[in-house]
């Protein structure tokens, strides 16, 4: 009912003085008043930040607020963070009902760049060799977690046979941050189905500022070969700070390069809990072949809720991109496809048995920053 959405939502927003809950109230209203099909997905097309009144523009540059962030006190360590999950939590119990994604653009040029990438993305099968590449990037800090080991566990127990893992592990496959940075750019430029990163993060950097950064997106030239990215770190999806571009935003906005979508946190996180969430996401994507990215993330969040109840990861893990995006399916030729490494990779496969979710939620007081 595209002709009804604008007037109805506009009236709802007006009645509530532009409050963010208008979107959720509208979706609830549509569930009871619309005939089938009812809304199945929510796409927030536009960026936003928390400086609604333009406070201190010298320190916080004034930027358009196209779709405001839903700010909520859900991060156990730093408190209020952007929480787009609340838009799709129709009954307010912490368990979202519909998939939600955000395309964080602030200009028509950025919007067109994202649309162009979506229009050319091949959702059919992973027929091309580059579509079978899965890039795994890991930080190195034993005090915060075994990031390489967690990635090896995903490779060993969840990666489909047709996908070829490429490991870029700090101090294991690559000796220093400079070689890691170049390896990431080279791997993405060759093309990849997906990229995963585990380690330390900030809004605009990985690996405590020595690894990949927002500025490094200038190294990318992967036109037509866009991966979806998922990160299990801290804050690299924090999109609501005025004047600061997050890694997730930079990869989505990049014209003719970068990523087709990203699943990234807007808050802090703990490795052990992120690892369980990561496994739920991989199960939905590959064991159950949930190809629609928004549906896969929704399944992971709902299962995490069913296991642990309300949890900060359900609120902060955010989809940047179109929630209706369908990932290409596995493709097998006449004979079984045998995955081979692109080149020698010295990382040993140190996979442990598949992790079992703990009996209940546990909040470690020292998140990985």
């Amino acid at each position: 009912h595209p002709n009804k959405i604008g007037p109805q939502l506009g009236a709802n927003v007006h009645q509530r003085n532009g409050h963010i809950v208008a979107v959720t109230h509208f979706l609830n209203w549509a569930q009871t008043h619309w005939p089938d099909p009812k809304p199945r997905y929510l796409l927030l097309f536009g960026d936003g930040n928390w400086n609604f009144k333009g406070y201190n523009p010298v320190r916080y540059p004034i930027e358009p607020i196209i779709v405001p962030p839903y700010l909520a006190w859900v991060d156990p360590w730093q408190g209020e963070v952007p929480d787009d999950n609340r838009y799709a939590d129709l009954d307010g119990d912490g368990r979202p009902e519909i998939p939600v994604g955000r395309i964080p653009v602030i200009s028509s040029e950025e919007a067109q760049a994202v649309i162009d990438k979506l229009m050319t993305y091949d959702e059919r099968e992973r027929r091309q060799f580059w579509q079978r590449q899965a890039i795994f990037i890991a930080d190195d800090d034993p005090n915060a977690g075994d990031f390489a080991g967690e990635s090896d566990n995903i490779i060993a127990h969840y990666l489909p046979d047709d996908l070829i893992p490429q490991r870029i592990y700090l101090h294991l496959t690559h000796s220093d941050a400079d070689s890691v940075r170049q390896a990431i750019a080279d791997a993405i430029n060759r093309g990849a189905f997906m990229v995963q990163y585990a380690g330390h993060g900030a809004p605009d950097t990985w690996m405590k500022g020595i690894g990949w950064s927002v500025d490094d997106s200038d190294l990318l030239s992967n036109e037509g070969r866009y991966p979806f990215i998922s990160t299990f770190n801290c804050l690299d999806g924090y999109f609501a700070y005025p004047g600061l571009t997050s890694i997730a935003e930079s990869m989505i906005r990049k014209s003719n390069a970068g990523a087709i979508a990203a699943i990234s946190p807007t808050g802090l996180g703990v490795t052990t809990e992120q690892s369980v969430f990561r496994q739920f996401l991989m199960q939905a994507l590959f064991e159950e072949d949930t190809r629609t990215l928004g549906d896969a993330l929704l399944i992971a969040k709902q299962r995490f809720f069913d296991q642990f109840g309300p949890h900060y990861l359900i609120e902060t893990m955010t989809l940047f991109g179109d929630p209706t995006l369908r990932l290409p399916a596995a493709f097998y030729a006449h004979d079984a496809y045998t995955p081979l490494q692109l080149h020698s990779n010295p990382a040993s496969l140190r996979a442990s048995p598949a992790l079992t979710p703990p009996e209940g939620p546990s909040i470690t007081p020292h998140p990985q920053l």
Side-chain angles (χ1 to χ4, degrees), residues 58-69:
V58 175
R59 182 172 182 179
Y60 306 115
I62 303 300
E63 293 181 336
I65 300 177
I66 301 171
V67 181

Side-chain angles (χ1 to χ4, degrees), residues 46-62:
D47 205 2
N49 63 74
W50 44 253
N51 196 10
F52 302 115
K53 296 187 177 182
Y55 170 76
N56 195 353
V58 175
R59 182 172 182 179
Y60 306 115
I62 303 300

Side-chain angles (χ1 to χ4, degrees), residues 204-282:
D204 56 349
T205 63
W206 291 345
M207 301 179 181
K208 290 188 174 180
I210 64 172
W212 191 260
S213 73
V214 166
D215 293 338
D216 293 324
S217 63
D218 291 339
L219 301 174
L220 299 180
S221 57
N222 57 313
E223 182 174 0
R225 302 181 300 277
Y226 310 120
F228 85 89
I229 298 175
S230 51
T231 59
F232 305 91
N233 60 350
C234 293
L235 292 168
D236 72 335
Y238 192 99
F239 64 89
Y241 197 97
L244 178 65
T245 300
S246 68
I247 286 183
E249 290 174 289
S250 69
M251 297 297 279
I252 299 302
R253 292 174 179 174
K254 184 73 174 176
S255 178
N256 297 320
I260 194 68
I263 296 174
S264 298
T266 60
L268 302 178
V270 175
T271 304
T272 53
E273 295 167 343
Q274 289 178 333
S275 295
V276 176
F277 189 93
R278 186 181 187 182
Q279 291 174 44
F280 285 157
L281 180 61
M282 294 301 100

